[in-house]
Amino acid sequence: MTQDEMKKAAATKALEYIKNDTIVGVGTGSTVNYFIDALATIKHNIVGAVSSSEESSKRLKAHGIEVFDLNNVDVLDVYVDGADEITKHMSMIKGGGAALTREKIVAAVAKQFICIADDSKQVEILGNFPLPVEVIPMARSYVARELVKLGGDPEYRQGVITDNGNVILDVHNLSIINPKKLEADINAIVGVVTNGLFANRGADILILVGENGVNVKQ
Ligand code: 5RP
């Protein structure tokens, strides 16, 4: 299987977790794009979706799936999203697509976080993938200095403005032994909107596809 075939297989498997007559939380990225395409095949069974990015909203609407404002939705049974890295403890690094803040908000509302990924995303220790941090533009240099104090090597993601009008710092060279603590420590820096560690609210179910097929962990 190619990596794209693995992503598609994980996305298709996630359909088994979608209940009829519900609103589905939808993440962002190339794996989620396969999920949105799969969701379109059962669109008449669901009420619609809450989306974590303008990109995903556009794709959902193109398929004729209604996109709801999260403020008008009380209950989300499931949130389906990819990851840049995930550990066996279900902690993740996300935000490679710069959608981390909205992803974290929709994930917070959902009862279940279903992570879909090819097995290249599974790691022992988080941090090989640079950790994205969404920052209020005027705080960029200050936050970068604070991230250096935490042992990281922040790099400004040039030319990227998030859906919320902010900038991204990608933090290199972090060996993340205690992801829950680091998530909280980075979020405590003034000017940080949020960071791409999803440890305090990790995944509940992981659908991981490798050469040996589809594996589900929960
Ligand atoms: C976007 C994300 C994505 O879930 C993450 O980057 C994985 O993307 P892909 O499925 O394209 O590998 O967090 O902000």
Side-chain angles (χ1 to χ4, degrees):
M1 264 197 271
T2 64
Q3 192 181 28
D4 275 340
E5 286 167 342
M6 290 178 195
K7 289 179 182 188
K8 194 172 179 181
T12 305
K13 180 76 180 169
L15 283 187
E16 293 176 17
Y17 295 84
I18 307 303
K19 293 187 199 134
N20 286 350
D21 304 317
T22 58
I23 296 176
V24 182
V26 175
T28 299
S30 57
T31 315
V32 165
N33 282 344
Y34 285 118
F35 174 69
I36 294 172
D37 296 347
L39 197 60
T41 66
I42 60 157
K43 68 179 178 187
H44 299 298
N45 300 339
I46 61 167
V47 178
V50 166
S51 167
S52 62
S53 65
E54 299 299 333
E55 181 196 324
S56 289
S57 295
K58 202 170 147 195
R59 197 175 186 99
L60 286 159
K61 287 176 189 165
H63 278 302
I65 298 171
E66 188 171 354
V67 177
F68 289 83
D69 183 328
L70 182 62
N71 290 306
N72 298 326
V73 174
D74 296 329
V75 179
L76 275 182
D77 281 330
V78 296
Y79 175 65
V80 179
D81 201 354
D84 298 302
E85 288 183 344
I86 182 161
T87 68
K88 61 182 177 203
H89 303 296
M90 308 290 242
S91 293
M92 295 167 278
I93 286 185
K94 292 183 45 54
L100 60 160
T101 299
R102 293 190 186 190
E103 290 173 345
K104 210 174 257 196
I105 294 168
V106 185
V109 175
K111 289 184 196 156
Q112 267 190 329
F113 187 132
I114 301 174
C115 180
I116 52 175
D118 65 89
D119 66 358
S120 69
K121 306 294 183 66
Q122 196 166 42
V123 298
E124 282 296 313
I125 295 174
L126 298 170
N128 195 35
F129 189 93
L131 176 65
V133 181
E134 180 164 352
V135 177
I136 302 287
M138 72 172 287
R140 190 187 82 221
S141 297
Y142 167 71
V143 171
R145 289 193 294 274
E146 294 299 303
L147 289 168
V148 169
K149 288 182 196 166
L150 291 176
D153 199 356
E155 181 187 11
Y156 176 32
R157 201 183 294 181
Q158 298 277 351
V160 172
I161 299 291
T162 70
D163 287 346
N164 314 306
N166 300 312
V167 296
I168 298 282
L169 294 173
D170 291 306
V171 191
H172 297 255
N173 301 322
L174 288 170
S175 180
I176 304 172
I177 307 299
N178 188 342
K180 286 186 179 174
K181 182 173 185 312
L182 188 64
E183 181 180 359
D185 287 349
I186 294 177
N187 283 344
I189 301 170
V190 175
V192 167
V193 179
T194 198
N195 71 82
L197 277 169
F198 285 57
N200 289 292
R201 199 276 183 262
D204 301 300
I205 295 174
L206 169 61
I207 301 174
L208 197 70
V209 180
E211 285 302 338
N212 299 330
V214 180
N215 281 292
V216 179
K217 187 188 164 203
Q218 53 190 50

